[in-house]
Amino acid sequence: MTTDLNQLAVRLQDFASARNWGQFHTPKNLVMALAGEVGELVAEFQWLTPEQSKHLEPATFDRVRSELADVSLYLVRLADLLDVDLIEAANAKLDENERRYDPDLYRGSARKAPPLTS
């Protein structure tokens, strides 16, 4: 059982290596596969109402879980190949968003913040 992204990345490396798939795992190919999997995830929600999307039927939930796993696996593999620490990158992005989206100005609003200036 994997417990963190580094362990998952190593398991993915081993999985791809055992099948000689590294030759196909270029960043371009992984991004394209990732986009396809995101599309499959989107398709599961496409015709649901907002309320239905919050309370998935068991069969739909199982498909969504599987698609989320596919998206996660491709994302972790891509980050590993590009030597990007996903946790570090996500925390840096959250730090940036905290600076951009002051709670007093954006609470309850979906509007986009202007880019940060240096």
Side-chain angles (χ1 to χ4, degrees):
M1 178 64 71
T2 58
T3 58
D4 66 27
L5 291 180
N6 289 331
Q7 288 176 318
L8 183 58
V10 169
R11 186 169 178 204
L12 280 165
Q13 289 169 11
D14 293 344
F15 179 85
S17 178
R19 290 155 182 81
N20 194 27
W21 287 354
Q23 62 184 318
F24 308 116
H25 286 188
T26 64
K28 177 199 79 74
N29 287 356
L30 290 170
V31 167
M32 292 174 71
L34 176 60
E37 294 300 337
V38 169
E40 291 177 19
L41 179 61
V42 169
E44 292 297 333
F45 288 90
Q46 185 171 5
W47 303 113
L48 300 179
T49 66
E51 190 61 27
Q52 289 170 324
S53 74
K54 293 178 192 176
H55 306 285
L56 299 174
E57 294 178 1
T60 304
F61 176 83
D62 289 343
R63 290 190 307 272
V64 165
R65 184 177 185 271
S66 180
E67 295 307 334
L68 284 169
D70 287 340
V71 167
S72 298
L73 291 171
Y74 278 117
L75 184 62
V76 168
R77 183 75 172 129
L78 176 63
D80 183 42
L81 284 178
L82 295 176
D83 199 26
V84 171
D85 180 323
L86 281 174
I87 300 299
E88 181 182 295
N91 277 306
K93 185 64 175 184
L94 187 53
D95 290 344
E96 177 186 324
N97 287 344
E98 285 177 336
R99 290 189 301 274
R100 289 181 69 198
Y101 293 96
D102 181 305
D104 294 331
L105 298 175
Y106 288 92
R107 184 171 290 106
S109 171
R111 75 181 189 276
K112 187 112 169 116
L116 286 176
T117 55
S118 299

